[in-house]
Amino acid sequence: MTTTAKRFAWLFAAMTLVSLGATAAPPEGWLFSNGPEFPGAKGSLDTGADGVMHLRYDFTGGGNYVGAFQFLDPPQTLKSVEFRVKKPAEALMTLRVVDSTDQLLQEPIVFEHDEWQRVAVDMQAFDLHFGGANDGVVHFPIKAVGILFEAVSLANPTGEVLLSHVKFNISGGDGAPQSGELRGRFQVTDFGRGTANGITGGPWHVDFSKTGSASLHSSLSLLGNPRVLTVLLRGGKPGNVLKMTLGSHFQTFARTLGTLDGKDQAFTFSLPPGNGWEFSGGENDGEVRLPLRITSLTLERGAGPAEPTGVEIQGILCETSVPRDEATFGLASLRSASGKAIEAACTACNLLERDLNGTMTVTLLDWTRNEVAHVEFEQVLPANGKPVQISRGFEVPDGKNFAEARFDFKADKEEFSAGACWTRPLDGTGDTTLRPELPWGMGVYLYRYGDLNDMEKAAQLAQAAGVKWSREEFSWAATEPEQGKFDFHFYDAVVNTARSHGISVYGLLSYWSNWTEPYTEKGIDDFCVWAKAVVTHFKDRVKHWEVYNEPNIFFWQGPKDLYPVLLKKCYAAIKEADPEAQVLGCSTAGIDQKFIDMVLAAEAPFDILTVHPYRGFLSDGGFMKELRRVAERVEQRPVWITEMGWSTHVGGKDERSQASLLARCYLSAAASGACPNISWYDFRDDANDPFYNEANFGTLRHDFTPKPAYRALATVCRTLNTGTPRLRDDLGKDVFGMEMGNCTVVWSPLKSVKLPCAIEGDAQIINLMGEPVAPQGGSLTLLRGQPLFITGGKLTATGTPEPIEDPSEGESGVIQF
């Protein structure tokens, strides 16, 4: 055991070296842990004659996990960890890493597959974190890596897991981040678009005879790990004061940059943490969660005159450091042009201090990844981040509702890939009939639209997609700004707009008004008086009310055991106002069983359990079991998913994968039998910032153009619009099916297969993009993660599913976390 290993051994939760219980030595560099913080587990780690690592486990005496771990000496800037594994199908594994701050980050690895499987885990994001910085951000380099095997869900408490081909992929090839200056000028028109004091091209005009301050709002991510900003500006009046706020995943940093002198000025300042920045919101701990984003600039009158002024923001210079393999990147788009023409465009950037002369390849693919068109040409990317705009025109083949453009650049050792998708607009306007018996919801969030025209536009698009439920947040601060003075006119518009488009509303009663005392008995009593007034006003239109949002994490800043007190009192207030109302409780980030158990132990009543089961990877069968287990835990009360989704930000899921995940989580939830209502987060991207995950969960882009997820949503909701969901478990291993009304859906989430089958009747078969599919030779080809919808005919499996070559990128069967 090296000095480094000894120094950091405690980081794996006080791991101790235990008797391996085997004569064979553990693989070189690897150590075994029995998870000693949860006593009882036994096991061993050794290399068999086949060169494969055997991780043996015995949970008959208790314990939570066993693990194989390795300390990296020296620590490395990892891009990903890959390995092959053979394990019991139902078993849960976890990848654990220790970063440079001694923070432990964990990503669950869940897939129902008992054959050899290659797994790849990116260092982009982790579901759990504790210790060290405890902020969920990976602070490179990585000190240690562990592969843990957990006792949960095991049918047999003893056995072994086989591991091979473990590979640590180093960022940039040598583990060394590429440091340097990024020089970028943000277009001033990105700030304040549509605001009263916004920029319309040219100087920022503020009339200090009418206001004491004005702000420009945006979401501009700063690349890499930014250190210093310089704001260059001209004009203003002597005495005016410039301030800035930065966003860091629900937490806000704010500081004064300086006082204007009316001339050309440059304000240079170090970025948080510290360095004079005040913080609030979110985790409220002052720790930075990348990406940092410029969210507003504020100009105050200060000691300046009470008269109009103009300030020209000439540019913003950012000094940052980025990993070498992120020094070149592209942002792609694919949009309709005219007729059948579409235009593929890419903004390419090279952050190195030298020009790159390389080759750009643009490929157009259909939904089944068949190549439609291909063009290749020489391309120069200028040094120091100067963006290059690249575009090419294509035609959409007849009968296709989907196209994907891939931009691949290569120059010496530098390369990047970027992609974007196009989908054809939907036919028809949808149904305006309220259908609350259907499970298909969506976080349409009409309450976020101050512009009633945009609210109507969003509702029309949701109607066209077949959405039948929307979660709408009812703000206490907005509806009772002063105690006893209620104003519901805006929310009348929200509810009426939804219902006029066939969308039932369930209301989220959330957060605190400015005049109350949050997280106290008095504050709770005030909350319940308000909740009763809301329910009374809307009881003829809204029958479902969710009490607070994600109280198990930072959205609830008070003692956690105070939430059941709120739920109990609010339940009584809601029922008093409307005995027919249904109360939705818990609303946990994730399926937080510990928090749910705390609420149950406090005997806080609710009619429906709500959860937000975000995750990095979707195991369809495991997800169904999770939902059934938590439904059993709450005595078979319904479980509603009121948020769930995947973001398409840079480093997140691509738009094709997002569409597949949306369909699979809707289908799996409905087929579980435990979840009669599911909503995605969210309907439309919150902003145009491609680097911030929270801005990119939408099925529509911020400009309302559809992503493939929107068409996937429409295919699910409009095709499965009658009947009760019923799981089909007779289609063979790794193939899932669901019947609803006169439609059967089949899908294979882990690998592409040929499903031998017979289809009786005059059936129509479509893929997730609504394109027709024809059976071939008495079988259906199920591409990995792509459901097929069979309407008007009965499907019967006639044989065992046969794996086929996977047309997707990378090795067949790779599970990417």
Side-chain angles (χ1 to χ4, degrees), residues 269-304:
F269 46 93
S270 297
L271 294 172
N275 299 312
W277 291 89
E278 298 179 353
F279 56 88
S280 61
E283 295 284 0
N284 203 25
D285 56 8
E287 296 293 333
V288 171
R289 292 159 180 82
L290 299 177
L292 272 177
R293 296 165 293 114
I294 301 175
T295 54
S296 74
L297 287 173
T298 297
L299 192 64
E300 295 182 350
R301 174 187 166 189

Side-chain angles (χ1 to χ4, degrees), residues 471 508 545-553 556 563-564 567 583-590 592-600 604-612 630 634 637 640 642:
R471 184 189 196 219
L508 168 60
W545 298 97
E546 189 173 21
V547 180
Y548 217 84
N549 177 59
E550 298 187 354
N552 62 321
I553 61 171
W556 181 273
Y563 173 74
L567 182 57
V583 178
L584 287 59
C586 291
S587 188
T588 58
D592 189 339
Q593 191 63 67
K594 183 178 179 181
F595 186 87
I596 295 168
D597 286 347
M598 182 266 291
V599 172
L600 292 173
F606 55 89
D607 302 310
I608 297 167
L609 175 72
T610 58
V611 293
H612 303 166
V630 74
V634 296
R637 275 174 275 197
W640 283 23
T642 53

Side-chain angles (χ1 to χ4, degrees), residues 199-383:
I199 296 170
T200 58
W204 171 18
H205 295 287
V206 180
D207 188 350
F208 283 128
S209 68
K210 298 179 180 179
T211 182
S213 67
S215 295
L216 304 176
H217 299 279
S218 192
S219 178
L220 300 175
S221 284
L222 304 174
L223 301 179
N225 191 359
R227 306 296 186 185
V228 178
L229 274 184
T230 299
V231 178
L232 307 173
L233 56 82
R234 171 180 296 168
K237 300 292 184 180
N240 294 161
V241 177
L242 185 66
K243 296 183 176 181
M244 176 181 282
T245 62
L246 301 176
S248 174
H249 193 65
F250 292 105
Q251 186 172 218
T252 296
F253 291 92
R255 65 162 287 173
T256 297
L257 303 188
T259 302
L260 276 59
D261 60 12
K263 303 175 183 178
D264 288 0
Q265 285 180 273
F267 295 104
T268 298
F269 46 93
S270 297
L271 294 172
N275 299 312
W277 291 89
E278 298 179 353
F279 56 88
S280 61
E283 295 284 0
N284 203 25
D285 56 8
E287 296 293 333
V288 171
R289 292 159 180 82
L290 299 177
L292 272 177
R293 296 165 293 114
I294 301 175
T295 54
S296 74
L297 287 173
T298 297
L299 192 64
E300 295 182 350
R301 174 187 166 189
E307 60 186 46
T309 187
V311 175
E312 183 180 350
I313 302 170
Q314 296 179 296
I316 299 176
L317 179 70
C318 176
E319 297 178 19
T320 189
S321 61
V322 295
R324 176 61 181 267
D325 60 352
E326 296 177 14
T328 57
F329 65 89
L331 303 174
S333 65
L334 185 61
R335 303 298 174 92
S336 296
S338 60
K340 296 197 302 182
I342 54 176
E343 182 181 53
C346 180
T347 301
C349 262
N350 163 32
L351 307 179
L352 301 176
E353 295 181 348
R354 58 183 175 86
D355 291 351
L356 291 177
N357 297 283
T359 302
M360 180 70 78
T361 303
V362 187
T363 308
L364 195 70
L365 304 171
D366 67 11
W367 180 247
T368 58
R369 297 188 189 271
N370 292 317
E371 186 175 300
V372 176
H374 177 98
V375 62
E376 186 174 298
F377 49 91
E378 299 300 310
Q379 182 66 53
V380 177
L381 300 188

